[in-house]
């Protein structure tokens, strides 16, 4: 794969927000319940200690405005709750077993025709082949840096032996590299390919070597346009047992998107910063156009304007969702963002350029209930017996980016497949009991006790919304399946002991058994 210099700015806040809770302590009165999946399913069906969904809907009517203030001087936490309590207007809540949905040829064709009707795609892996000229330039740069190690005349990234190893690999690559690659010599048939077969048929292809190493028996499609219409289109999809399934599309007037085929499904469209009240984004704590830490300036490109209204942009995004048949999804979040460009030029340079977009985040609605598993990322990374296992399962979402050019980004991430209904009409805890659990655990989870070295350290928690939704949790002894269960999300913001504010889910409580969801563990 291409070697690129580090960008001057890191990855920004992503679409998928992790739980905001901090370190846990020991409550005076324990409200921590054992997490037992079998027991939870039993509680979902029994009447003792639980209520019907209909009963809880009636109970919640008295909490149209839930207000309270909690102060714990010992743990240095203040919690201010002034929240609406929202419960879905449905007849019942259920529990489902789910898995990852593979992306098929029919859906890929639907997406391609909806986004780029009639466009000819060429083999993206051929576009990624490096020529002798490109590799030669890198050899010269490595030789220059290696010389700097010997005479200590400048800063270097590697030791001399490491430079020698890199140079040896580059020289081998140089011998096999073509003088020129003509992309239009390699049109695709728009079909999903088996990675193993393509790898065997194309020995020495660095892209396919990389794909095979990561995804093995997975499947993929990777196509790029010729750019003659002034837009550089990329369309990529993968079905991977280890890294998840997705479709990614990008259109850019400044070059091909360099990150289209990165392995993790969780990282999509995370190179963004919100634009609030028309103000320019704040890069590295400094405004766009000002000098960033390394001396470069962040600048908005002038060939991708954003003059359309958010309403018009949403109509375009909604139309694509309808054209692709994704009718069971609703907008969860939207707004104007600055998206840093990650074309090949930008990845190989320290300059930071960005374009303005409207970003629309869609989440699934199951039986009319939002499935908010933004923090449902699941990963195993370690030895299992004699085998080393690294697998990821991202959070389901659809993200659409729009500017004056139209749809410039479409990401369909970790689609879910409903395998079976485990409990048709789930019983749940009363909101009074959930509220009591929240009021104790929100303090414990956000204690500032461990940062006594900070004078006046304290944590401020604000809760503005309380919602009953679905989320995905891990299932016992199974990586490939999960459970969709009802949870209460307490949403707002946390200002930690260092004064840093983070917005999102403050605490999430399982509505069936009253346990606190730990998104780092997945249940």
């Amino acid at each position: 794969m291409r070697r690129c210099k580090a960008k001057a700015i890191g990855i920004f806040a992503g679409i998928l927000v992790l739980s905001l809770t901090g370190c846990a302590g020991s409550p005076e009165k324990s409200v921590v319940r054992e997490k037992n999946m079998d027991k939870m399913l039993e509680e979902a069906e029994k009447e003792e200690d639980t209520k019907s969904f209909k009963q809880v809907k009636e109970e919640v009517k008295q909490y149209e405005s839930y207000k309270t203030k909690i102060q714990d001087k010992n743990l240095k936490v203040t919690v201010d709750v002034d929240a609406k309590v929202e419960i879905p207007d449905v007849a019942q809540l259920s529990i489902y077993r789910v898995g990852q949905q593979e992306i098929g040829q029919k859906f890929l064709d639907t997406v391609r025709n909806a986004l780029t009707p009639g466009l000819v795609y060429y083999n993206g892996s051929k576009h990624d082949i490096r020529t002798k000229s490109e590799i030669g330039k890198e050899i010269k740069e490595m030789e220059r840096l290696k010389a700097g190690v010997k005479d200590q005349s400048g800063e270097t990234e590697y030791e001399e032996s490491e430079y020698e190893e890199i140079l040896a690999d580059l020289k081998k690559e140089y011998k096999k590299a073509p003088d020129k690659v003509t992309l239009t010599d390699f049109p695709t048939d728009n079909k999903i390919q088996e990675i193993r077969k393509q790898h065997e048929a194309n020995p020495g292809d660095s892209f396919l070597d990389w794909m095979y190493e990561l995804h093995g028996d997975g499947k993929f499609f990777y196509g790029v346009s010729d750019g003659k219409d002034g837009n550089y289109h990329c369309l990529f999809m993968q079905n991977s047992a280890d890294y998840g399934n997705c479709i990614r599309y990008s259109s850019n007037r400044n070059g091909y998107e360099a990150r289209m085929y990165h392995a993790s499904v969780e990282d999509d469209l995370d190179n963004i910063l919100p634009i609030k009240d028309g103000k320019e984004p704040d890069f590295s704590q400094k405004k766009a156009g000002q000098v960033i830490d390394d001396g470069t300036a962040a600048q908005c490109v002038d060939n991708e304007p954003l003059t359309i209204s958010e309403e018009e942009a949403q109509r375009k995004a909604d139309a694509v969702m309808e054209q692709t048949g994704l009718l069971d999804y609703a907008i969860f979040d939207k707004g104007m963002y600055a998206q840093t460009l990650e074309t090949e030029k930008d990845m190989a340079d320290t300059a930071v350029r960005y374009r303005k977009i409207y970003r629309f985040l869609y989440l699934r609605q199951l039986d009319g209930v939002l499935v908010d598993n933004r923090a449902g990322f699941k990963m195993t990374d370690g030895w299992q017996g004699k085998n080393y296992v690294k697998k990821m399962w991202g959070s389901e979402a659809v993200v659409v980016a729009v500017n004056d050019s139209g749809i410039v980004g479409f990401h369909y991430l970790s689609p879910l497949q409903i395998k079976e209904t485990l409990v048709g009409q789930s019983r749940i805890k009363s909101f009074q009991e959930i509220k009591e659990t929240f009021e104790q655990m929100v303090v414990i989870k956000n204690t500032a006790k461990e940062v006594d070295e900070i004078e006046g350290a304290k944590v401020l928690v604000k809760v503005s919304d309380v919602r009953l939704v679905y989320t995905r949790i891990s299932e016992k002894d199974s990586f490939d399946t999960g459970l969709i269960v009802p949870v209460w999300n307490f949403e707002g913001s946390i200002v930690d002991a260092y004064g840093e504010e983070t917005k999102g889910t403050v605490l999430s409580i399982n509505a069936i058994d009253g346990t606190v969801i730990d998104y780092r563990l997945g249940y």
Side-chain angles (χ1 to χ4, degrees):
M1 305 309 295
R2 297 179 184 271
R3 299 175 176 87
C4 302
K5 295 180 182 178
K7 290 175 66 67
I9 189 166
I11 300 300
F12 299 125
I15 61 170
L16 306 173
V17 182
L18 293 177
S19 174
L20 307 183
T21 52
C23 301
S26 299
E28 294 179 6
K29 177 183 177 183
S30 177
V31 293
V32 179
R33 294 182 174 86
E34 177 188 3
K35 296 185 179 184
N36 184 306
M37 296 297 171
D38 295 332
K39 185 177 178 181
M40 181 196 71
L41 292 174
E42 291 176 5
E43 289 193 31
E45 295 185 290
K46 73 178 185 180
E47 296 188 6
E48 182 183 353
D49 297 328
T50 60
K51 293 181 178 293
S52 70
F53 178 56
K54 183 178 179 180
Q55 289 174 307
V56 176
K57 284 175 70 175
E58 287 298 313
E59 177 198 12
V60 164
K61 289 181 180 179
Q62 64 181 296
Y63 294 103
E64 290 182 2
S65 179
Y66 166 36
K67 296 183 180 181
T68 190
K69 189 163 187 175
I70 308 165
Q71 288 184 305
D72 192 309
K73 293 182 179 180
N74 292 327
L75 298 180
K76 302 176 183 178
V77 178
T78 298
V79 181
D80 189 1
V81 181
D82 186 356
K84 298 179 296 182
V85 180
E86 301 177 35
I87 194 165
D89 187 18
V90 295
Q92 64 186 44
L93 296 175
S94 305
I95 301 177
Y96 299 93
R97 176 172 285 122
V98 296
Q100 296 194 64
Q101 175 68 57
E102 282 201 352
I103 295 167
Q105 184 65 53
K106 183 178 180 180
F107 186 71
L108 175 62
D109 291 341
T110 298
V111 170
R112 178 174 54 81
N113 290 326
L115 296 170
T116 54
L119 184 71
V120 176
Y121 278 102
Y122 300 92
N123 191 326
S125 68
K126 300 302 181 183
H127 158 68
D128 230 43
I129 294 175
R130 303 208 298 168
T131 64
K132 278 186 166 60
S133 174
E134 292 173 309
I135 301 168
K137 291 178 182 178
E138 190 168 343
I139 289 174
K140 288 182 179 180
E141 176 66 9
M142 286 295 124
E143 287 175 339
R144 184 187 68 78
L145 292 173
K146 179 186 172 185
V149 174
K150 289 183 177 180
D151 60 23
Q152 300 298 311
S153 60
E155 293 184 9
T156 56
E157 187 175 355
Y158 306 106
E159 297 294 332
E160 182 177 358
S161 60
E162 292 176 301
Y163 280 114
E164 290 174 351
E165 185 178 344
I166 293 171
L167 280 167
D169 289 340
L170 285 171
K171 289 175 181 177
K172 287 180 182 178
E173 186 182 357
Y174 181 85
K175 290 181 180 179
K176 298 179 181 180
D179 294 320
K180 181 181 179 182
V181 176
T182 304
L183 181 63
T184 52
D185 289 342
F186 305 98
T188 71
D189 58 5
N190 296 318
K191 301 298 183 184
I192 296 174
Q193 303 292 333
E194 294 183 23
I195 294 173
R196 180 183 294 275
K197 287 184 178 180
Q198 289 299 309
H199 178 254
E200 291 173 351
N202 297 273
D205 187 310
S206 60
F207 171 79
L208 293 172
D209 288 345
W210 182 78
M211 288 289 288
Y212 178 71
E213 181 181 351
L214 287 173
H215 307 299
D217 290 323
K219 298 178 181 180
F220 83 107
F221 172 83
Y222 180 30
V224 298
S225 72
D226 58 14
K228 289 182 178 178
D229 64 352
N231 294 288
Y232 297 88
H233 303 272
C234 297
L235 181 61
F236 175 86
M237 64 82 42
Q238 73 179 38
N239 287 327
S240 172
D242 292 338
Y243 287 88
N245 311 328
C246 68
I247 288 183
R248 304 184 182 106
Y249 165 79
S250 172
S251 174
N252 201 308
R253 301 188 71 86
N254 294 276
Y256 297 105
E257 175 68 47
R259 296 174 66 248
M260 288 299 290
Y261 45 76
H262 59 94
S264 175
V265 176
E266 196 71 7
D267 292 336
D268 294 80
L269 209 62
D270 55 6
N271 54 326
I272 57 175
L273 275 181
I275 298 175
K276 298 181 179 179
D277 302 321
K279 296 180 180 178
E280 293 296 322
D282 186 1
F283 291 91
S284 294
Q285 307 303 315
K286 297 183 180 180
K287 292 183 179 179
Q290 291 183 342
V291 176
I292 298 180
D293 295 341
D294 69 346
T296 57
Q299 296 188 4
C300 183
V301 295
D302 58 9
N303 62 344
E304 292 209 44
L306 182 63
T307 62
I308 62 173
S309 67
E310 186 178 88
E311 291 74 20
E312 184 178 352
Q314 182 174 331
R315 285 195 292 272
K316 293 178 182 293
D318 287 344
V320 166
M321 295 294 288
E322 183 175 355
Q323 290 167 358
T324 53
L326 299 175
L327 304 178
D328 294 331
Y329 296 78
I331 289 179
F332 180 82
D333 184 51
K334 60 184 178 180
M336 182 185 293
Y337 287 81
Q339 181 185 28
T340 56
L341 298 182
E342 296 191 344
T343 67
E344 292 165 325
K345 176 183 183 300
D346 296 293
M347 294 295 283
D349 198 352
T350 56
V352 177
R353 300 187 304 158
Y354 66 93
R355 65 181 178 182
K356 294 179 181 179
I357 60 168
Y358 288 112
R359 184 209 66 165
F360 301 93
L361 169 62
Y362 293 81
L363 298 180
R364 180 191 291 265
Q365 286 188 314
L366 185 57
D367 300 333
V369 181
L370 184 75
V371 183
D372 182 3
N373 64 340
R374 291 167 296 158
F377 179 77
K378 184 177 180 181
M379 178 175 179
T380 180
D381 188 0
W383 290 96
Q384 295 183 7
K386 296 182 179 180
N387 299 318
Y388 187 83
V389 178
K390 182 173 182 178
K391 300 180 74 172
M392 299 180 186
W393 185 357
S395 303
E396 183 184 48
V398 183
V399 184
V400 183
V402 183
N403 65 15
D404 287 7
S405 298
I407 305 296
V408 295
F410 178 88
H411 300 259
Y412 183 42
L413 314 173
S414 302
L416 292 177
Q417 176 187 32
I418 308 300
K419 290 183 172 290
E420 61 178 314
T421 302
L422 295 179
V423 179
Q425 297 188 44
S426 176
R427 307 280 295 187
I428 61 177
K429 296 286 186 184
S430 69
F431 183 71
Q432 176 64 31
E433 185 172 352
I434 295 296
K435 184 170 70 72
E436 290 174 358
T437 299
F438 165 78
E439 290 176 3
Q440 294 186 61
M441 290 305 296
V442 70
V443 174
I444 301 303
K445 288 285 187 179
N446 290 285
T447 174
K449 194 173 182 178
E450 295 184 5
V451 288
D452 287 334
E453 67 275 10
I454 302 176
E455 186 176 352
K458 59 183 178 180
V459 175
L460 301 177
V461 179
K462 289 187 177 182
V463 177
S464 56
D465 292 282
V466 181
R467 295 187 177 98
L468 182 61
V469 298
Y470 279 141
T471 198
R472 189 189 88 224
I473 62 174
S474 301
E475 189 168 13
K476 182 181 178 182
D477 301 326
S478 174
F479 184 90
D480 297 322
T481 61
L483 301 180
I484 294 289
V485 300
V487 300
W488 284 102
N489 276 354
F490 293 78
E491 299 173 3
S493 65
I494 297 175
V495 178
D496 66 20
Y498 299 93
E500 295 293 328
E501 182 180 25
T502 313
K503 296 182 179 181
T505 302
V506 171
L507 201 69
S508 188
I509 300 176
N510 190 316
I512 298 171
D513 61 9
T515 58
V516 174
I517 304 293
D518 187 335
Y519 284 119
R520 295 168 298 177
L521 301 176
Y523 55 83

